[in-house]
Amino acid sequence: MATIPVHEWTLLEAAAAVRAGDVSSRALTQALLDRIAALNPTINAYVTLLPEAAMARAAACDEAQARGESLGILHGVPVGLKDIFCTKGIRTTCGSRILGNFIPPYDAAVTERVLGAGAVLLGKQNMDEFAMGSSTETSFFGKTLNPWDTARIPGGSSGGTAAAVAAAMCFAAMGTDTGGSIRQPAALCGVVGLKPTYGRVSRYGMVAFASSLDQGGPLTRSVADAAAMLGIVAGHDPRDSTSLDVPVPDYAAAVGRDLKGLRVGLPKEYFAGEGLDLEVRAAIGQALDALLAAGAEAVEVSLPHTEYALSTYYLIAPAEASSNLARYDGVRYGHRADGASSLVEMMSRTRAEGFGPEVKRRIMIGTYALSAGYYEAFYAKAQKVRTLIRRDFDAAFDKADVLLTPTAPTPAFKIGEKTGDPLTMYLSDIYTIPCNLAGIPGISVPCGMSSDGLPIGAQLLGGHFREETVLSAAAAIERAIPLPRVAPFEG
Amino acid sequence: MAISTDEVRHVARLARLALSEGELDTLCGQLGQILDYVKQLDRLDTAGVTPTSHAVETGTPFREDVVVPFPDKEALLANAPDREGDAFRVPRIIED
């Protein structure tokens, strides 16, 4: 461990080093702040940085340790949060102008749990506005660049989070995933991204996009780190009525588990499309070989309604978004337009000024799909197709314990390449969206590099509450395919 | 599926979005394209299929309807763009 730079440690290595007294939280935090100071002006992974608060918290951690107080799992370890989790007294923008001056008076459940485990918060990370996007190009606070190739996007919407983890500008961070927003940027930045079962992690204080699909989860540089983070944030929260009141297993124990007899399903529809890059296909082949070598067996499965998932998602998510985003009206918080003479004019101009083009587009689709005369044809129809998609997964999980698929159809694309054509952009989430519709857990784990030196991720999907299965399979891939865990960008 | 500028204007009014003429034009084309794409759902027969209401069915959670005062009212009100005492001030709603 002494031979690699401090910032390249995994989350668990950093936590162990602090606990053992090998490094102080202050030294660790300063090292990360120095690295952020060098890299963030280019990568733009952080929207808000908290250097003074982080150092004060690190000092408090060191003092607590000196006093012999009992230490949390993340005691003294610097982490980040996507700027979608409310942080008490710290600006929370959700990537939007309309929340540019919003100071939450409370912490999100995820914030409480991460800080409660002893972590030091370095700052709030950049994201597509209101988590709507696949490239982190729609943030009001500027684009985030991919630290593997700064001409390329980091994925989205948790692009700032993935870039920060990949470039070692934090040891781990929490993102959110509505249609792939943890897994897709994790794949494109070469890190691990886990979307838990819907309801596993409380959504209290997490700015809502599409409530029936949104789920918080960790982005880390190792599968063991992801398991540790999930153990911290998972569990019932009475403040979120959709949070599940079920026991939280020992995720860390799942990471080293034997795969003998594990049935790995390959959904044939995920490999049939023309959009799948050949190098991505080959890397998934390597991931499969790793699972087979670890004792798993392969079975072909079918998810026949896959081709309808994108349409279903792009009706349900905007419909829920149009409703959730109605609260941004300039009355109680956020930006307000000047000089309006009536309430409706004030709200309409506030929203027109405060939201960017992608958010407006989705509010419009959603409002249209929910409007009188169209509700049955669009929204109600989509919720029925969603049932068919869930049934596909139920049938697949009768035959297989875990499904292996690509996370994204291609490695990271170039900045600006898809911004003019929303439908093409939406297609980059084709492999991740069905998981959210079904509410099942999914993980993306690095499984190869393209000839251009860009990371490729494999996605593993499990049945409801089967995070342990996807973690154990992801760990086997991680062990078998050695890859650089930190992006080469050095500022 | 063609969607007229008037329809887009109507939806923008429902959504409380004061869109420019340029934005209305662009959205007219893009919404048409997206609605064309999602019309593929019509190919599926969904008669008798129950719509999904929860991805993970767990029953309805109940709790007592108890008022819990927020501990820091001032921090809530401090976010208001315009306030008067403990109230949010907005433009006049009722005409003379």
Side-chain angles (χ1 to χ4, degrees), chain B residues 62-89:
Chain B
F62 291 99
R63 62 173 168 80
E64 293 301 316
D65 186 13
V66 184
V67 176
V68 183
F70 190 77
D72 190 357
K73 188 169 68 179
E74 185 49 39
L76 278 176
L77 287 161
N79 277 297
D82 192 5
R83 65 183 276 203
E84 192 173 309
D86 283 356
F88 300 108
R89 186 155 48 194

Side-chain angles (χ1 to χ4, degrees), chain B residues 17-70:
Chain B
L17 282 174
L19 300 179
S20 68
E21 288 302 312
E23 284 177 311
L24 285 171
D25 267 359
T26 309
L27 278 168
C28 203
Q30 290 178 339
L31 293 190
Q33 245 190 329
I34 293 165
L35 292 172
D36 264 342
Y37 180 80
V38 302
K39 281 304 248 183
Q40 64 154 295
L41 297 186
D42 289 349
R43 297 206 300 262
L44 287 172
D45 179 8
T46 49
V49 177
T50 318
T52 294
S53 51
H54 298 284
V56 183
E57 279 153 25
T58 54
T60 306
F62 291 99
R63 62 173 168 80
E64 293 301 316
D65 186 13
V66 184
V67 176
V68 183
F70 190 77

Side-chain angles (χ1 to χ4, degrees), chain A residues 214-241:
Chain A
D214 298 342
Q215 181 62 194
L219 288 101
T220 59
R221 287 196 297 273
S222 81
V223 175
D225 286 356
M229 286 291 282
L230 180 62
I232 290 162
V233 296
H236 181 239
D237 177 5
R239 297 168 300 183
D240 170 8
S241 65

Side-chain angles (χ1 to χ4, degrees), chain A residues 287-339:
Chain A
L288 177 62
D289 290 344
L291 295 173
L292 299 180
E297 52 192 75
V299 288
E300 188 181 87
V301 297
S302 176
L303 300 167
H305 295 95
T306 297
E307 64 175 301
Y308 301 100
L310 203 63
S311 292
T312 304
Y313 178 84
Y314 277 102
L315 287 167
I316 293 170
E320 294 184 10
S322 71
S323 166
N324 276 324
L325 271 52
R327 72 190 61 166
Y328 304 106
D329 55 11
V331 173
R332 286 146 300 155
Y333 45 76
H335 172 76
R336 178 189 284 195
D338 287 332

